[in-house]
PDB file of all heavy atoms in Angstrom:
ATOM      1  N   ALA N 110     123.265  80.667  95.513  1.00 89.00           N
ATOM      2  CA  ALA N 110     124.086  81.811  95.819  1.00 89.00           C
ATOM      3  C   ALA N 110     124.179  82.609  94.416  1.00 89.00           C
ATOM      4  O   ALA N 110     123.923  82.115  93.427  1.00 89.00           O
ATOM      5  CB  ALA N 110     125.376  81.313  96.277  1.00 89.00           C
ATOM      6  N   PRO N 111     124.675  83.870  94.634  1.00 90.00           N
ATOM      7  CA  PRO N 111     124.789  84.694  93.468  1.00 90.00           C
ATOM      8  C   PRO N 111     125.901  84.118  92.451  1.00 90.00           C
ATOM      9  O   PRO N 111     125.698  84.207  91.286  1.00 90.00           O
ATOM     10  CB  PRO N 111     125.381  86.076  94.072  1.00 90.00           C
ATOM     11  CG  PRO N 111     124.835  86.105  95.350  1.00 90.00           C
ATOM     12  CD  PRO N 111     124.813  84.614  95.950  1.00 90.00           C
ATOM     13  N   GLU N 112     126.968  83.490  93.081  1.00 90.00           N
ATOM     14  CA  GLU N 112     127.966  82.947  92.309  1.00 90.00           C
ATOM     15  C   GLU N 112     127.453  81.548  91.785  1.00 90.00           C
ATOM     16  O   GLU N 112     126.786  80.822  92.440  1.00 90.00           O
ATOM     17  CB  GLU N 112     129.320  82.665  93.097  1.00 90.00           C
ATOM     18  CG  GLU N 112     129.888  83.890  93.814  1.00 90.00           C
ATOM     19  CD  GLU N 112     129.250  84.166  95.123  1.00 90.00           C
ATOM     20  OE1 GLU N 112     128.264  83.531  95.538  1.00 90.00           O
ATOM     21  OE2 GLU N 112     129.685  85.181  95.754  1.00 90.00           O
ATOM     22  N   PRO N 113     127.899  81.111  90.490  1.00 92.00           N
ATOM     23  CA  PRO N 113     127.414  79.887  90.009  1.00 92.00           C
ATOM     24  C   PRO N 113     127.857  78.674  90.972  1.00 92.00           C
ATOM     25  O   PRO N 113     128.912  78.595  91.393  1.00 92.00           O
ATOM     26  CB  PRO N 113     128.145  79.787  88.560  1.00 92.00           C
ATOM     27  CG  PRO N 113     128.367  81.278  88.257  1.00 92.00           C
ATOM     28  CD  PRO N 113     128.646  81.902  89.538  1.00 92.00           C
ATOM     29  N   GLY N 114     126.924  77.813  91.111  1.00 90.00           N
ATOM     30  CA  GLY N 114     127.119  76.632  91.966  1.00 90.00           C
ATOM     31  C   GLY N 114     126.660  75.349  91.378  1.00 90.00           C
ATOM     32  O   GLY N 114     126.849  75.222  90.095  1.00 90.00           O
ATOM     33  N   THR N 115     126.266  74.405  92.126  1.00 92.00           N
ATOM     34  CA  THR N 115     125.861  73.134  91.606  1.00 92.00           C
ATOM     35  C   THR N 115     124.368  72.967  91.751  1.00 92.00           C
ATOM     36  O   THR N 115     123.840  73.171  92.849  1.00 92.00           O
ATOM     37  CB  THR N 115     126.493  71.977  92.465  1.00 92.00           C
ATOM     38  OG1 THR N 115     127.963  72.139  92.310  1.00 92.00           O
ATOM     39  CG2 THR N 115     126.067  70.568  91.922  1.00 92.00           C
ATOM     40  N   VAL N 116     123.703  72.739  90.641  1.00 94.00           N
ATOM     41  CA  VAL N 116     122.290  72.561  90.584  1.00 94.00           C
ATOM     42  C   VAL N 116     121.853  71.222  90.101  1.00 94.00           C
ATOM     43  O   VAL N 116     122.346  70.694  89.098  1.00 94.00           O
ATOM     44  CB  VAL N 116     121.712  73.680  89.662  1.00 94.00           C
ATOM     45  CG1 VAL N 116     120.173  73.475  89.387  1.00 94.00           C
ATOM     46  CG2 VAL N 116     121.991  75.075  90.123  1.00 94.00           C
ATOM     47  N   ASP N 117     120.878  70.586  90.748  1.00 95.00           N
ATOM     48  CA  ASP N 117     120.177  69.301  90.376  1.00 95.00           C
ATOM     49  C   ASP N 117     119.067  69.714  89.583  1.00 95.00           C
ATOM     50  O   ASP N 117     118.033  70.094  90.073  1.00 95.00           O
ATOM     51  CB  ASP N 117     119.856  68.593  91.675  1.00 95.00           C
ATOM     52  CG  ASP N 117     119.161  67.253  91.319  1.00 95.00           C
ATOM     53  OD1 ASP N 117     118.704  66.994  90.113  1.00 95.00           O
ATOM     54  OD2 ASP N 117     119.277  66.433  92.382  1.00 95.00           O
ATOM     55  N   PHE N 118     119.254  69.572  88.308  1.00 96.00           N
ATOM     56  CA  PHE N 118     118.323  70.109  87.313  1.00 96.00           C
ATOM     57  C   PHE N 118     117.049  69.168  87.381  1.00 96.00           C
ATOM     58  O   PHE N 118     115.908  69.627  87.042  1.00 96.00           O
ATOM     59  CB  PHE N 118     118.824  70.157  85.842  1.00 96.00           C
ATOM     60  CG  PHE N 118     119.646  71.315  85.573  1.00 96.00           C
ATOM     61  CD1 PHE N 118     120.909  71.415  86.003  1.00 96.00           C
ATOM     62  CD2 PHE N 118     118.992  72.411  85.050  1.00 96.00           C
ATOM     63  CE1 PHE N 118     121.717  72.569  85.757  1.00 96.00           C
ATOM     64  CE2 PHE N 118     119.769  73.701  84.840  1.00 96.00           C
ATOM     65  CZ  PHE N 118     121.094  73.514  85.160  1.00 96.00           C
ATOM     66  N   GLY N 119     117.109  67.850  87.705  1.00 96.00           N
ATOM     67  CA  GLY N 119     116.110  67.004  87.902  1.00 96.00           C
ATOM     68  C   GLY N 119     115.231  67.374  89.032  1.00 96.00           C
ATOM     69  O   GLY N 119     114.051  67.510  88.896  1.00 96.00           O
ATOM     70  N   ALA N 120     115.762  67.818  90.086  1.00 96.00           N
ATOM     71  CA  ALA N 120     115.038  68.214  91.340  1.00 96.00           C
ATOM     72  C   ALA N 120     114.367  69.628  91.003  1.00 96.00           C
ATOM     73  O   ALA N 120     113.184  69.843  91.399  1.00 96.00           O
ATOM     74  CB  ALA N 120     115.977  68.421  92.535  1.00 96.00           C
ATOM     75  N   LEU N 121     115.110  70.481  90.298  1.00 96.00           N
ATOM     76  CA  LEU N 121     114.510  71.704  89.946  1.00 96.00           C
ATOM     77  C   LEU N 121     113.170  71.582  89.122  1.00 96.00           C
ATOM     78  O   LEU N 121     112.177  72.110  89.246  1.00 96.00           O
ATOM     79  CB  LEU N 121     115.576  72.553  89.172  1.00 96.00           C
ATOM     80  CG  LEU N 121     115.030  73.930  88.739  1.00 96.00           C
ATOM     81  CD1 LEU N 121     114.436  74.784  89.769  1.00 96.00           C
ATOM     82  CD2 LEU N 121     116.149  74.666  88.002  1.00 96.00           C
ATOM     83  N   SER N 122     113.367  70.718  88.106  1.00 96.00           N
ATOM     84  CA  SER N 122     112.168  70.442  87.185  1.00 96.00           C
ATOM     85  C   SER N 122     111.043  69.807  87.959  1.00 96.00           C
ATOM     86  O   SER N 122     109.891  70.217  87.742  1.00 96.00           O
ATOM     87  CB  SER N 122     112.608  69.473  86.088  1.00 96.00           C
ATOM     88  OG  SER N 122     113.473  70.137  85.120  1.00 96.00           O
ATOM     89  N   ALA N 123     111.332  68.847  88.836  1.00 97.00           N
ATOM     90  CA  ALA N 123     110.259  68.311  89.645  1.00 97.00           C
ATOM     91  C   ALA N 123     109.559  69.272  90.562  1.00 97.00           C
ATOM     92  O   ALA N 123     108.362  69.319  90.758  1.00 97.00           O
ATOM     93  CB  ALA N 123     110.871  67.088  90.427  1.00 97.00           C
ATOM     94  N   ASN N 124     110.411  70.147  91.156  1.00 97.00           N
ATOM     95  CA  ASN N 124     109.850  71.138  92.042  1.00 97.00           C
ATOM     96  C   ASN N 124     108.907  72.067  91.351  1.00 97.00           C
ATOM     97  O   ASN N 124     107.789  72.464  91.762  1.00 97.00           O
ATOM     98  CB  ASN N 124     110.975  71.917  92.671  1.00 97.00           C
ATOM     99  CG  ASN N 124     111.527  71.087  93.931  1.00 97.00           C
ATOM    100  OD1 ASN N 124     110.932  70.235  94.423  1.00 97.00           O
ATOM    101  ND2 ASN N 124     112.859  71.404  94.211  1.00 97.00           N
ATOM    102  N   LEU N 125     109.364  72.595  90.149  1.00 97.00           N
ATOM    103  CA  LEU N 125     108.563  73.400  89.352  1.00 97.00           C
ATOM    104  C   LEU N 125     107.334  72.824  88.780  1.00 97.00           C
ATOM    105  O   LEU N 125     106.301  73.418  88.784  1.00 97.00           O
ATOM    106  CB  LEU N 125     109.389  73.931  88.090  1.00 97.00           C
ATOM    107  CG  LEU N 125     110.531  74.848  88.502  1.00 97.00           C
ATOM    108  CD1 LEU N 125     111.357  75.186  87.208  1.00 97.00           C
ATOM    109  CD2 LEU N 125     110.022  76.304  89.108  1.00 97.00           C
ATOM    110  N   ALA N 126     107.308  71.604  88.462  1.00 97.00           N
ATOM    111  CA  ALA N 126     106.165  70.770  88.059  1.00 97.00           C
ATOM    112  C   ALA N 126     105.161  70.676  89.123  1.00 97.00           C
ATOM    113  O   ALA N 126     103.985  70.702  88.763  1.00 97.00           O
ATOM    114  CB  ALA N 126     106.643  69.352  87.597  1.00 97.00           C
ATOM    115  N   GLU N 127     105.564  70.656  90.339  1.00 97.00           N
ATOM    116  CA  GLU N 127     104.598  70.644  91.424  1.00 97.00           C
ATOM    117  C   GLU N 127     104.110  71.936  91.854  1.00 97.00           C
ATOM    118  O   GLU N 127     102.867  72.177  92.226  1.00 97.00           O
ATOM    119  CB  GLU N 127     105.183  70.012  92.685  1.00 97.00           C
ATOM    120  CG  GLU N 127     104.252  69.716  93.828  1.00 97.00           C
ATOM    121  CD  GLU N 127     104.735  68.821  94.913  1.00 97.00           C
ATOM    122  OE1 GLU N 127     105.613  68.099  94.715  1.00 97.00           O
ATOM    123  OE2 GLU N 127     104.204  68.908  96.050  1.00 97.00           O
ATOM    124  N   LEU N 128     104.978  72.991  91.783  1.00 98.00           N
ATOM    125  CA  LEU N 128     104.615  74.221  92.237  1.00 98.00           C
ATOM    126  C   LEU N 128     103.914  75.239  91.243  1.00 98.00           C
ATOM    127  O   LEU N 128     102.898  76.071  91.601  1.00 98.00           O
ATOM    128  CB  LEU N 128     105.746  74.979  92.789  1.00 98.00           C
ATOM    129  CG  LEU N 128     106.481  74.412  93.973  1.00 98.00           C
ATOM    130  CD1 LEU N 128     107.821  75.053  94.193  1.00 98.00           C
ATOM    131  CD2 LEU N 128     105.658  74.663  95.217  1.00 98.00           C
ATOM    132  N   LEU N 129     104.192  75.132  89.998  1.00 98.00           N
ATOM    133  CA  LEU N 129     103.666  76.112  88.979  1.00 98.00           C
ATOM    134  C   LEU N 129     102.164  75.949  88.776  1.00 98.00           C
ATOM    135  O   LEU N 129     101.438  76.905  88.728  1.00 98.00           O
ATOM    136  CB  LEU N 129     104.416  75.866  87.671  1.00 98.00           C
ATOM    137  CG  LEU N 129     105.809  76.433  87.633  1.00 98.00           C
ATOM    138  CD1 LEU N 129     106.524  75.938  86.419  1.00 98.00           C
ATOM    139  CD2 LEU N 129     105.780  77.969  87.829  1.00 98.00           C
ATOM    140  N   PRO N 130     101.530  74.638  88.824  1.00 98.00           N
ATOM    141  CA  PRO N 130     100.160  74.652  88.690  1.00 98.00           C
ATOM    142  C   PRO N 130      99.366  75.210  89.901  1.00 98.00           C
ATOM    143  O   PRO N 130      98.381  75.783  89.691  1.00 98.00           O
ATOM    144  CB  PRO N 130      99.855  73.056  88.539  1.00 98.00           C
ATOM    145  CG  PRO N 130     101.138  72.483  88.104  1.00 98.00           C
ATOM    146  CD  PRO N 130     102.098  73.389  88.620  1.00 98.00           C
TER     147      PRO N 130
END
Side-chain angles (χ1 to χ4, degrees):
E112 304 85 356
T115 301
V116 174
D117 183 333
F118 281 83
L121 176 57
S122 294
N124 285 332
L125 289 173
E127 183 165 342
L128 293 168
L129 288 170

